[in-house]
Amino acid sequence: LTAAFRLQRAALIWWTAALAAFGFVFGAVTDQIADPDDISGDRLEMFGGSLDTLADGYLGVITLFIAVFAGVMVVLGVQTVWAEESKGRAEPILATATSRTSWFGGYLAVIAAGLVGLLLVAGFATGLGAAVSLGDGSYILDVTAAHLAHVPGVLVMLGIAALLFGVFPRAIGVVWAVLGYSLFAGLFGTITDMPQAARNLMPMEHVGQPPLDGVSWTATVVLLLVAVALSAAGLAGFRRRDLKGR
């Protein structure tokens, strides 16, 4: 394994542990946060607008929050690849029989697989915390599935980062703005009366807000196709452009 792969693996393990701990802690206070006797109008609106589904609405917000922060791991992963290139460590590898497609594609595959594992573990931990808090074991499966439902949306983030790396790597930082916008729109879009058209710019918006909402499988398939197309375009761009070594 190269140093970059080892660094990426260590970062993934750390990120997974951190988000799992976050999810368990916030899942474990579901009964307190979703207490209908002590809730403001803004919080009620943020959690779905119904007293009957407060717990699911709250967990939907936490799930989206974790999905966005999983996107941080994705962007950092692509920036690690850019660092390998910009510091001149990629050129000796690519001077061998290793193709650009297999080199960059390998990184993307590792990041994508790591994303699925991260959301699986974080979802299970969040669901476990909610199950303990509410005394309902069904939340373990429901919240885990809700986290996995956001995989396609975060993969679109990966696709955007891959496209920028392949075509204009110095602009990868633009993805941070997309992540920041997604976080704001997901958490505060409802209470700030953000137009739906503006919220639709957030990739994760299209699958719904599970476990409060059902998952849109049409949107899931479309997002996966978009993610694949963006990643493929990034790979094609990387094959054609000059390396940006020292």
Side-chain angles (χ1 to χ4, degrees), residues 119-217:
L119 289 178
L120 178 64
V121 173
F124 178 84
T126 307
L128 180 61
V132 171
S133 174
L134 299 171
D136 185 349
S138 67
Y139 275 100
I140 297 177
L141 179 59
D142 291 347
V143 177
T144 301
H147 279 68
L148 291 176
H150 283 301
V151 167
V154 184
L155 286 178
V156 170
M157 300 284 190
L158 175 60
I160 295 171
L163 176 61
L164 290 173
F165 172 79
V167 177
F168 188 45
R170 298 184 190 279
I172 287 178
V174 170
V175 189
W176 292 114
V178 178
L179 283 170
Y181 179 83
S182 297
L183 185 62
F184 177 83
L187 296 182
F188 305 111
T190 302
I191 62 177
T192 59
D193 293 324
M194 180 179 287
Q196 187 61 46
R199 296 187 65 177
N200 287 342
L201 296 175
M202 176 180 66
M204 283 80 80
E205 173 73 13
H206 300 280
V207 298
Q209 193 180 356
L212 176 63
D213 302 328
V215 176
S216 170
W217 295 108

Side-chain angles (χ1 to χ4, degrees), residues 13-125:
I13 293 171
W14 183 91
W15 210 249
T16 300
L19 289 182
F22 172 91
F24 180 81
V25 169
F26 279 81
V29 297
T30 301
D31 60 335
Q32 301 174 42
I33 299 297
D35 183 356
D37 295 328
D38 184 27
I39 189 167
S40 65
D42 284 345
R43 187 151 43 115
L44 177 62
E45 190 173 1
M46 181 185 292
F47 296 160
S50 172
L51 291 174
D52 297 329
T53 57
L54 274 178
D56 287 354
Y58 164 70
L59 291 169
V61 170
I62 295 302
T63 297
L64 177 61
F65 186 88
I66 291 175
V68 172
F69 273 84
V72 172
M73 183 274 296
V74 162
V75 179
L76 288 175
V78 178
Q79 286 189 324
T80 298
V81 185
W82 167 231
E84 287 292 285
E85 179 186 346
S86 61
K87 292 178 181 178
R89 292 194 289 263
E91 192 168 0
I93 298 174
L94 296 175
T96 66
T98 303
S99 69
R100 291 194 183 196
T101 299
S102 62
W103 183 74
F104 184 34
Y107 275 104
L108 292 180
V110 169
I111 294 170
L115 168 67
V116 174
L118 184 156
L119 289 178
L120 178 64
V121 173
F124 178 84

